[in-house]
Amino acid sequence: MAVREDGWAQRGGIDRLLTLSCGRTYTVDEKVRMHDWPDVLLERWSDEARRVPGWIQKPLAADFIGYAYAPAGMCLLLPVVPLQRAWRQHGRKWIDLYGTRSAQNPGYVSVGVPVPRHVLMQAIVEAMVVS
Protein backbone atom coordinates (compact mmCIF):
# COMPACT_ATOMS: atom_id res chain seq x y z
CA MET A 1 0.00 0.00 0.00
CA ALA A 2 1.38 3.42 -0.93
CA VAL A 3 1.62 6.03 1.84
CA ARG A 4 0.84 9.33 0.13
CA GLU A 5 -0.77 11.58 2.74
CA ASP A 6 1.44 13.92 4.71
CA GLY A 7 1.79 12.82 8.30
CA TRP A 8 4.19 11.09 10.68
CA ALA A 9 4.77 8.19 8.25
CA GLN A 10 5.75 10.39 5.28
CA ARG A 11 7.91 12.60 7.49
CA GLY A 12 9.56 9.46 8.90
CA GLY A 13 10.49 8.32 5.41
CA ILE A 14 7.72 5.80 4.82
CA ASP A 15 6.49 5.66 1.23
CA ARG A 16 5.08 2.14 1.15
CA LEU A 17 3.70 -0.45 3.57
CA LEU A 18 4.33 -4.07 2.55
CA THR A 19 2.18 -6.80 4.06
CA LEU A 20 3.34 -10.39 3.61
CA SER A 21 0.94 -13.30 3.31
CA CYS A 22 1.86 -14.31 6.89
CA GLY A 23 0.59 -10.92 8.11
CA ARG A 24 3.98 -9.38 8.88
CA THR A 25 4.35 -5.79 7.71
CA TYR A 26 7.41 -3.80 6.64
CA THR A 27 7.78 -0.11 5.89
CA VAL A 28 9.81 1.12 2.92
CA ASP A 29 11.31 4.47 1.93
CA GLU A 30 11.49 4.43 -1.88
CA LYS A 31 14.36 5.94 -3.88
CA VAL A 32 14.45 5.73 -7.68
CA ARG A 33 17.37 6.47 -10.00
CA MET A 34 16.77 7.03 -13.69
CA HIS A 35 20.16 5.63 -14.76
CA ASP A 36 21.85 2.30 -13.98
CA TRP A 37 24.70 3.74 -11.96
CA PRO A 38 27.13 1.29 -10.28
CA ASP A 39 26.66 3.02 -6.93
CA VAL A 40 24.12 3.93 -4.28
CA LEU A 41 23.92 7.69 -3.80
CA LEU A 42 23.65 8.13 -0.04
CA GLU A 43 21.97 11.47 0.71
CA ARG A 44 24.18 13.17 3.28
CA TRP A 45 22.45 16.57 3.21
CA SER A 46 18.87 17.12 2.16
CA ASP A 47 19.54 20.88 2.21
CA GLU A 48 23.26 21.62 2.38
CA ALA A 49 23.04 25.34 3.18
CA ARG A 50 20.70 24.79 6.12
CA ARG A 51 22.54 21.57 7.14
CA VAL A 52 19.35 19.51 7.04
CA PRO A 53 20.47 15.86 7.36
CA GLY A 54 19.73 13.57 4.44
CA TRP A 55 18.15 10.13 4.74
CA ILE A 56 21.44 8.37 5.48
CA GLN A 57 21.98 10.53 8.59
CA LYS A 58 18.54 11.26 10.00
CA PRO A 59 16.36 8.94 12.08
CA LEU A 60 13.91 7.08 9.84
CA ALA A 61 10.76 5.19 10.77
CA ALA A 62 11.15 2.90 7.74
CA ASP A 63 12.46 -0.66 7.98
CA PHE A 64 14.04 -0.61 4.52
CA ILE A 65 15.21 1.71 1.79
CA GLY A 66 13.90 0.41 -1.54
CA TYR A 67 16.64 1.69 -3.86
CA ALA A 68 15.53 1.17 -7.46
CA TYR A 69 17.34 1.50 -10.77
CA ALA A 70 14.48 2.15 -13.19
CA PRO A 71 16.10 1.17 -16.53
CA ALA A 72 17.28 -2.19 -15.16
CA GLY A 73 14.01 -2.89 -13.35
CA MET A 74 16.11 -3.75 -10.28
CA CYS A 75 15.68 -2.72 -6.65
CA LEU A 76 17.95 -3.13 -3.64
CA LEU A 77 16.12 -3.65 -0.36
CA LEU A 78 18.51 -2.04 2.12
CA PRO A 79 17.84 -2.54 5.86
CA VAL A 80 17.84 0.93 7.45
CA VAL A 81 19.49 0.16 10.81
CA PRO A 82 22.55 -1.67 9.43
CA LEU A 83 22.75 0.78 6.51
CA GLN A 84 22.93 3.77 8.82
CA ARG A 85 25.38 1.97 11.10
CA ALA A 86 27.60 1.28 8.07
CA TRP A 87 27.44 5.02 7.27
CA ARG A 88 28.50 5.94 10.81
CA GLN A 89 31.41 3.49 10.58
CA HIS A 90 32.59 4.38 7.05
CA GLY A 91 30.97 7.66 5.96
CA ARG A 92 34.01 9.91 6.37
CA LYS A 93 36.22 7.43 4.52
CA TRP A 94 33.63 7.13 1.72
CA ILE A 95 33.49 10.91 1.33
CA ASP A 96 37.28 10.99 0.93
CA LEU A 97 37.32 8.01 -1.47
CA TYR A 98 34.26 8.70 -3.63
CA GLY A 99 33.58 12.41 -3.19
CA THR A 100 30.15 13.99 -3.22
CA ARG A 101 27.52 14.84 -5.83
CA SER A 102 25.32 17.92 -5.55
CA ALA A 103 21.81 18.23 -6.95
CA GLN A 104 20.20 21.61 -7.52
CA ASN A 105 16.56 21.55 -6.43
CA PRO A 106 14.07 24.46 -6.36
CA GLY A 107 15.40 26.58 -3.48
CA TYR A 108 17.98 24.16 -2.07
CA VAL A 109 20.92 21.90 -2.90
CA SER A 110 21.10 18.30 -1.74
CA VAL A 111 24.40 16.42 -1.44
CA GLY A 112 25.04 12.69 -1.72
CA VAL A 113 27.97 10.29 -1.59
CA PRO A 114 28.12 7.73 -4.46
CA VAL A 115 29.26 4.50 -2.79
CA PRO A 116 29.86 1.51 -5.09
CA ARG A 117 27.14 -1.11 -4.56
CA HIS A 118 29.56 -3.92 -3.67
CA VAL A 119 31.34 -1.73 -1.10
CA LEU A 120 28.05 -0.67 0.50
CA MET A 121 26.62 -4.20 0.62
CA GLN A 122 29.77 -5.54 2.30
CA ALA A 123 29.67 -2.71 4.85
CA ILE A 124 26.01 -3.48 5.63
CA VAL A 125 26.85 -7.14 6.25
CA GLU A 126 29.73 -6.14 8.53
CA ALA A 127 27.49 -3.64 10.36
CA MET A 128 25.14 -6.49 11.28
CA VAL A 129 27.91 -8.16 13.31
CA VAL A 130 28.15 -6.97 16.88
CA SER A 131 31.13 -7.94 18.97
Side-chain angles (χ1 to χ4, degrees):
M1 170 177 22
V3 177
R4 303 231 187 273
E5 292 181 26
D6 186 33
W8 71 268
Q10 265 292 316
R11 280 175 288 189
I14 297 172
D15 294 316
R16 192 161 303 272
L17 181 66
L18 304 178
T19 303
L20 305 182
S21 60
C22 67
R24 174 140 184 153
T25 59
Y26 292 102
T27 54
V28 179
D29 185 357
E30 298 174 331
K31 309 294 178 195
V32 180
R33 290 185 83 181
M34 294 303 152
H35 297 286
D36 291 335
W37 300 105
D39 58 61
V40 174
L41 189 62
L42 304 176
E43 185 187 61
R44 183 178 186 206
W45 300 112
S46 177
D47 182 336
E48 184 180 33
R50 294 187 313 140
R51 288 305 219 215
V52 176
W55 56 263
I56 196 61
Q57 299 190 107
K58 71 179 183 180
L60 294 176
D63 298 310
F64 294 94
I65 300 290
Y67 200 91
Y69 299 86
M74 190 254 299
C75 182
L76 302 175
L77 202 54
L78 305 170
V80 169
V81 172
L83 172 64
Q84 289 185 332
R85 184 167 191 237
W87 172 256
R88 288 190 302 275
Q89 292 171 334
H90 302 286
R92 296 218 184 274
K93 176 179 73 176
W94 290 340
I95 292 166
D96 291 342
L97 283 172
Y98 309 119
T100 59
R101 302 292 179 272
S102 297
Q104 182 66 53
N105 299 286
Y108 65 97
V109 174
S110 58
V111 177
V113 179
V115 179
R117 286 194 295 244
H118 71 278
V119 171
L120 182 63
M121 298 307 276
Q122 183 61 42
I124 290 171
V125 168
E126 292 170 2
M128 294 184 349
V129 176
V130 180
S131 59

